[in-house]
Amino acid sequence: MRKFYAKVIAVLVILSLLGTLIAGCGSKNVSDARKKVLKVSMGLGEAEWKVMKEDIFPPFEQKYGVKIEPLQIEAGDLIKKLDAMHKANAMDIDIITQDNMQLAPLVAKGLVEDLSQYRDMIPKEVIPSLVPVGEFDGKLYFMPYRPNVEIAFYNEDKFNEYGLKLPTNWDELLQVAKTFKEKEGIGRVIIKENLGPDSTVQMFDLIRSAGGDPTVLNDEGSIKAFTLLKELQPYLSPDSKKADWNTPVEYLAKDSVYLVENWPYTANVLVEQYGKKNILAYHGWAGPVKESHVLGGEVIGIPTGAPNKEMAIKFMEYLMSKEVQEKLVTKLGWPSMRSDAYGKVADWQKPYFEAINEALKHAEPRPNLVYWADVDKAINGALREIIFEGKDIKTTLDKYHNMIEEAKKAAESK
């Protein structure tokens, strides 16, 4: 009987070793094949993917003999996906570009690599204010890639028709909005109030321009911002309540709105698709303390445990190159992270890029907070109650200030 059990154990050991060997061979094969693939996650529109696939990816694929596999993953979903892969020890994404507002959870959860050792890859021509966006506790987790800032689009014909000058401060903005409403019986100025991320961006600009802190929300600057918005409300376009990042293009193209702040891609669509040459742009207006614009955009990161990290590092450097940045400027109208990548801007694009460059001088990044969702919810809760429900400004802001403070304490206690 002992001999029988000994034979059984011996067979099991051999099978186990063979299994390990086979698994090892399989893993090596997968790894070799995987090195020929670079999985890239971006959250892009159809036209943007077209440029990536036709103009950005091919030169890199040809140079390094690799096939880029594009993954369409929105910023919020990316965190969940990386978290699931990380926990399962099955990371299968090599490089990501991510909204600069969605960075803190990635760092807090250990989902992205510390890129500090690659800091020298950042081109010296990069706009300096873009680098700190990717830093956490002195370490560099994200590389600059795509800055973005809203500029003010206006209908030149309508401003000329009513003899109006472009508003440079809050008083002038209020007067322009009143004039359009008096002349046409309907508001023609939009402040985004859709109670989503778009209205959060607008409130950040207004509050900071008045010297306030949107993450505090009941300071003097915040009170001034909401007070201005109540004054403006009767003269705003009804479309303000549903305006997001996309709809202003249609409003401007159909001449239903004459002044609205939106992202720069608006210019390319209006001119190239709608042929609207009377819609121009400038950097916008200042508040009682300063001019301020949210610094939006995306950065580059590498997931922890990325299977093809070596190639991802090369692609990261490629995305920051002058070659790529110039293509993104020319073909998509994206602002560049580099100060030397505007040489190929078409003549019609130049006035818009002057507006972008001026707005970038007043751009401020949003804070990277793990409780950002609570800040977003608080700002829009205050907007809804004060503007749409007519509640008292100070009392309402105190309520939502306390909500943010509770979220902050909860985050710090973890």
mmCIF file of all heavy atoms in Angstrom, residues 151-155 166 260 262 264 267 278-284 351-356:
data_model
loop_
_atom_site.group_PDB
_atom_site.id
_atom_site.type_symbol
_atom_site.label_atom_id
_atom_site.label_comp_id
_atom_site.label_asym_id
_atom_site.label_seq_id
_atom_site.Cartn_x
_atom_site.Cartn_y
_atom_site.Cartn_z
ATOM 1 N N ILE A 151 -12.625 79.530 -23.924
ATOM 2 C CA ILE A 151 -12.537 80.910 -24.403
ATOM 3 C C ILE A 151 -13.947 81.385 -24.747
ATOM 4 O O ILE A 151 -14.871 80.574 -24.834
ATOM 5 C CB ILE A 151 -11.604 81.029 -25.625
ATOM 6 C CG1 ILE A 151 -12.020 80.057 -26.739
ATOM 7 C CG2 ILE A 151 -10.162 80.778 -25.210
ATOM 8 C CD1 ILE A 151 -11.172 80.156 -28.000
ATOM 9 N N ALA A 152 -14.093 82.691 -24.935
ATOM 10 C CA ALA A 152 -15.428 83.256 -25.176
ATOM 11 C C ALA A 152 -15.682 83.406 -26.672
ATOM 12 O O ALA A 152 -14.975 84.151 -27.356
ATOM 13 C CB ALA A 152 -15.545 84.603 -24.483
ATOM 14 N N PHE A 153 -16.691 82.696 -27.176
ATOM 15 C CA PHE A 153 -17.079 82.795 -28.584
ATOM 16 C C PHE A 153 -18.206 83.818 -28.720
ATOM 17 O O PHE A 153 -19.144 83.835 -27.915
ATOM 18 C CB PHE A 153 -17.541 81.430 -29.101
ATOM 19 C CG PHE A 153 -16.421 80.430 -29.216
ATOM 20 C CD1 PHE A 153 -16.089 79.609 -28.136
ATOM 21 C CD2 PHE A 153 -15.677 80.324 -30.388
ATOM 22 C CE1 PHE A 153 -15.054 78.701 -28.235
ATOM 23 C CE2 PHE A 153 -14.637 79.421 -30.493
ATOM 24 C CZ PHE A 153 -14.322 78.599 -29.412
ATOM 25 N N TYR A 154 -18.119 84.651 -29.741
ATOM 26 C CA TYR A 154 -19.147 85.691 -29.902
ATOM 27 C C TYR A 154 -19.495 85.877 -31.374
ATOM 28 O O TYR A 154 -18.685 85.608 -32.271
ATOM 29 C CB TYR A 154 -18.667 87.019 -29.303
ATOM 30 C CG TYR A 154 -17.479 87.637 -29.991
ATOM 31 C CD1 TYR A 154 -17.642 88.619 -30.969
ATOM 32 C CD2 TYR A 154 -16.174 87.254 -29.666
ATOM 33 C CE1 TYR A 154 -16.550 89.201 -31.602
ATOM 34 C CE2 TYR A 154 -15.077 87.826 -30.303
ATOM 35 C CZ TYR A 154 -15.273 88.796 -31.264
ATOM 36 O OH TYR A 154 -14.187 89.358 -31.893
ATOM 37 N N ASN A 155 -20.714 86.340 -31.594
ATOM 38 C CA ASN A 155 -21.207 86.625 -32.937
ATOM 39 C C ASN A 155 -20.852 88.073 -33.279
ATOM 40 O O ASN A 155 -21.459 89.011 -32.776
ATOM 41 C CB ASN A 155 -22.728 86.413 -32.972
ATOM 42 C CG ASN A 155 -23.302 86.545 -34.365
ATOM 43 O OD1 ASN A 155 -22.952 87.461 -35.108
ATOM 44 N ND2 ASN A 155 -24.181 85.619 -34.727
ATOM 45 N N LEU A 166 -16.922 93.965 -26.612
ATOM 46 C CA LEU A 166 -16.792 92.701 -25.897
ATOM 47 C C LEU A 166 -16.625 92.967 -24.404
ATOM 48 O O LEU A 166 -15.810 93.818 -24.013
ATOM 49 C CB LEU A 166 -15.575 91.921 -26.415
ATOM 50 C CG LEU A 166 -15.606 91.550 -27.889
ATOM 51 C CD1 LEU A 166 -14.299 90.859 -28.291
ATOM 52 C CD2 LEU A 166 -16.790 90.640 -28.185
ATOM 53 N N VAL A 260 -20.870 82.973 -25.564
ATOM 54 C CA VAL A 260 -20.798 81.804 -24.675
ATOM 55 C C VAL A 260 -19.347 81.372 -24.542
ATOM 56 O O VAL A 260 -18.588 81.403 -25.513
ATOM 57 C CB VAL A 260 -21.661 80.633 -25.215
ATOM 58 C CG1 VAL A 260 -21.265 80.266 -26.637
ATOM 59 C CG2 VAL A 260 -21.561 79.405 -24.311
ATOM 60 N N ASN A 262 -16.707 78.418 -24.181
ATOM 61 C CA ASN A 262 -16.661 76.979 -24.446
ATOM 62 C C ASN A 262 -15.239 76.567 -24.823
ATOM 63 O O ASN A 262 -14.350 77.408 -24.977
ATOM 64 C CB ASN A 262 -17.627 76.600 -25.567
ATOM 65 C CG ASN A 262 -18.064 75.137 -25.463
ATOM 66 O OD1 ASN A 262 -18.244 74.606 -24.362
ATOM 67 N ND2 ASN A 262 -18.237 74.472 -26.584
ATOM 68 N N PRO A 264 -11.995 75.155 -26.989
ATOM 69 C CA PRO A 264 -11.502 75.643 -28.291
ATOM 70 C C PRO A 264 -11.899 74.825 -29.515
ATOM 71 O O PRO A 264 -11.932 75.349 -30.618
ATOM 72 C CB PRO A 264 -9.978 75.631 -28.108
ATOM 73 C CG PRO A 264 -9.773 75.791 -26.647
ATOM 74 C CD PRO A 264 -10.905 75.024 -26.018
ATOM 75 N N ALA A 267 -14.159 76.185 -32.420
ATOM 76 C CA ALA A 267 -13.756 76.966 -33.587
ATOM 77 C C ALA A 267 -13.632 76.080 -34.823
ATOM 78 O O ALA A 267 -14.130 76.427 -35.902
ATOM 79 C CB ALA A 267 -12.429 77.670 -33.310
ATOM 80 N N ASN A 278 -18.225 84.419 -38.994
ATOM 81 C CA ASN A 278 -18.561 85.590 -38.169
ATOM 82 C C ASN A 278 -18.566 85.258 -36.673
ATOM 83 O O ASN A 278 -18.882 86.107 -35.849
ATOM 84 C CB ASN A 278 -19.924 86.149 -38.559
ATOM 85 C CG ASN A 278 -21.056 85.174 -38.281
ATOM 86 O OD1 ASN A 278 -20.867 83.962 -38.388
ATOM 87 N ND2 ASN A 278 -22.214 85.692 -37.921
ATOM 88 N N ILE A 279 -18.248 84.011 -36.339
ATOM 89 C CA ILE A 279 -18.135 83.641 -34.921
ATOM 90 C C ILE A 279 -16.657 83.704 -34.550
ATOM 91 O O ILE A 279 -15.860 82.850 -34.960
ATOM 92 C CB ILE A 279 -18.691 82.226 -34.644
ATOM 93 C CG1 ILE A 279 -20.120 82.094 -35.173
ATOM 94 C CG2 ILE A 279 -18.628 81.942 -33.146
ATOM 95 C CD1 ILE A 279 -21.119 83.040 -34.545
ATOM 96 N N LEU A 280 -16.311 84.700 -33.779
ATOM 97 C CA LEU A 280 -14.917 84.879 -33.369
ATOM 98 C C LEU A 280 -14.773 84.557 -31.888
ATOM 99 O O LEU A 280 -15.742 84.155 -31.233
ATOM 100 C CB LEU A 280 -14.491 86.317 -33.671
ATOM 101 C CG LEU A 280 -14.654 86.740 -35.149
ATOM 102 C CD1 LEU A 280 -14.210 88.184 -35.330
ATOM 103 C CD2 LEU A 280 -13.894 85.819 -36.078
ATOM 104 N N ALA A 281 -13.586 84.738 -31.375
ATOM 105 C CA ALA A 281 -13.361 84.399 -29.958
ATOM 106 C C ALA A 281 -12.328 85.324 -29.336
ATOM 107 O O ALA A 281 -11.472 85.880 -30.031
ATOM 108 C CB ALA A 281 -12.906 82.946 -29.833
ATOM 109 N N TYR A 282 -12.429 85.493 -28.018
ATOM 110 C CA TYR A 282 -11.413 86.197 -27.241
ATOM 111 C C TYR A 282 -11.301 85.502 -25.892
ATOM 112 O O TYR A 282 -12.002 84.514 -25.632
ATOM 113 C CB TYR A 282 -11.729 87.687 -27.123
ATOM 114 C CG TYR A 282 -12.842 88.046 -26.171
ATOM 115 C CD1 TYR A 282 -12.589 88.802 -25.024
ATOM 116 C CD2 TYR A 282 -14.156 87.630 -26.401
ATOM 117 C CE1 TYR A 282 -13.601 89.153 -24.153
ATOM 118 C CE2 TYR A 282 -15.168 87.973 -25.520
ATOM 119 C CZ TYR A 282 -14.893 88.743 -24.401
ATOM 120 O OH TYR A 282 -15.895 89.074 -23.536
ATOM 121 N N HIS A 283 -10.394 85.990 -25.048
ATOM 122 C CA HIS A 283 -10.084 85.238 -23.826
ATOM 123 C C HIS A 283 -11.154 85.305 -22.745
ATOM 124 O O HIS A 283 -11.176 84.479 -21.839
ATOM 125 C CB HIS A 283 -8.744 85.692 -23.257
ATOM 126 C CG HIS A 283 -8.673 87.165 -22.964
ATOM 127 N ND1 HIS A 283 -9.029 87.701 -21.757
ATOM 128 C CD2 HIS A 283 -8.313 88.205 -23.759
ATOM 129 C CE1 HIS A 283 -8.871 89.013 -21.793
ATOM 130 N NE2 HIS A 283 -8.440 89.359 -23.000
ATOM 131 N N GLY A 284 -12.059 86.299 -22.799
ATOM 132 C CA GLY A 284 -13.140 86.350 -21.820
ATOM 133 C C GLY A 284 -13.042 87.532 -20.880
ATOM 134 O O GLY A 284 -12.352 88.512 -21.154
ATOM 135 N N PRO A 351 -6.406 83.707 -34.966
ATOM 136 C CA PRO A 351 -7.101 84.529 -33.955
ATOM 137 C C PRO A 351 -7.614 83.714 -32.765
ATOM 138 O O PRO A 351 -7.601 84.188 -31.623
ATOM 139 C CB PRO A 351 -8.268 85.133 -34.749
ATOM 140 C CG PRO A 351 -7.833 85.081 -36.171
ATOM 141 C CD PRO A 351 -7.012 83.839 -36.294
ATOM 142 N N TYR A 352 -8.074 82.493 -33.037
ATOM 143 C CA TYR A 352 -8.558 81.642 -31.945
ATOM 144 C C TYR A 352 -7.410 81.231 -31.023
ATOM 145 O O TYR A 352 -7.575 81.172 -29.797
ATOM 146 C CB TYR A 352 -9.253 80.400 -32.513
ATOM 147 C CG TYR A 352 -10.445 80.720 -33.375
ATOM 148 C CD1 TYR A 352 -10.362 80.654 -34.761
ATOM 149 C CD2 TYR A 352 -11.656 81.117 -32.814
ATOM 150 C CE1 TYR A 352 -11.447 80.961 -35.566
ATOM 151 C CE2 TYR A 352 -12.751 81.430 -33.610
ATOM 152 C CZ TYR A 352 -12.636 81.349 -34.989
ATOM 153 O OH TYR A 352 -13.711 81.667 -35.780
ATOM 154 N N PHE A 353 -6.243 80.952 -31.626
ATOM 155 C CA PHE A 353 -5.114 80.552 -30.790
ATOM 156 C C PHE A 353 -4.549 81.727 -29.996
ATOM 157 O O PHE A 353 -3.993 81.533 -28.915
ATOM 158 C CB PHE A 353 -4.043 79.862 -31.635
ATOM 159 C CG PHE A 353 -4.329 78.406 -31.808
ATOM 160 C CD1 PHE A 353 -5.066 77.958 -32.879
ATOM 161 C CD2 PHE A 353 -3.920 77.484 -30.864
ATOM 162 C CE1 PHE A 353 -5.377 76.618 -33.020
ATOM 163 C CE2 PHE A 353 -4.218 76.146 -30.994
ATOM 164 C CZ PHE A 353 -4.950 75.703 -32.083
ATOM 165 N N GLU A 354 -4.716 82.927 -30.521
ATOM 166 C CA GLU A 354 -4.336 84.097 -29.711
ATOM 167 C C GLU A 354 -5.233 84.172 -28.472
ATOM 168 O O GLU A 354 -4.769 84.478 -27.370
ATOM 169 C CB GLU A 354 -4.458 85.368 -30.550
ATOM 170 C CG GLU A 354 -3.380 85.486 -31.622
ATOM 171 C CD GLU A 354 -3.596 86.688 -32.530
ATOM 172 O OE1 GLU A 354 -4.504 87.483 -32.245
ATOM 173 O OE2 GLU A 354 -2.860 86.817 -33.523
ATOM 174 N N ALA A 355 -6.517 83.894 -28.661
ATOM 175 C CA ALA A 355 -7.451 83.892 -27.524
ATOM 176 C C ALA A 355 -7.084 82.796 -26.525
ATOM 177 O O ALA A 355 -7.104 83.006 -25.305
ATOM 178 C CB ALA A 355 -8.881 83.700 -28.021
ATOM 179 N N ILE A 356 -6.749 81.618 -27.048
ATOM 180 C CA ILE A 356 -6.373 80.495 -26.174
ATOM 181 C C ILE A 356 -5.121 80.837 -25.366
ATOM 182 O O ILE A 356 -5.074 80.621 -24.145
ATOM 183 C CB ILE A 356 -6.123 79.230 -27.023
ATOM 184 C CG1 ILE A 356 -7.430 78.757 -27.659
ATOM 185 C CG2 ILE A 356 -5.514 78.128 -26.171
ATOM 186 C CD1 ILE A 356 -7.229 77.709 -28.750
#
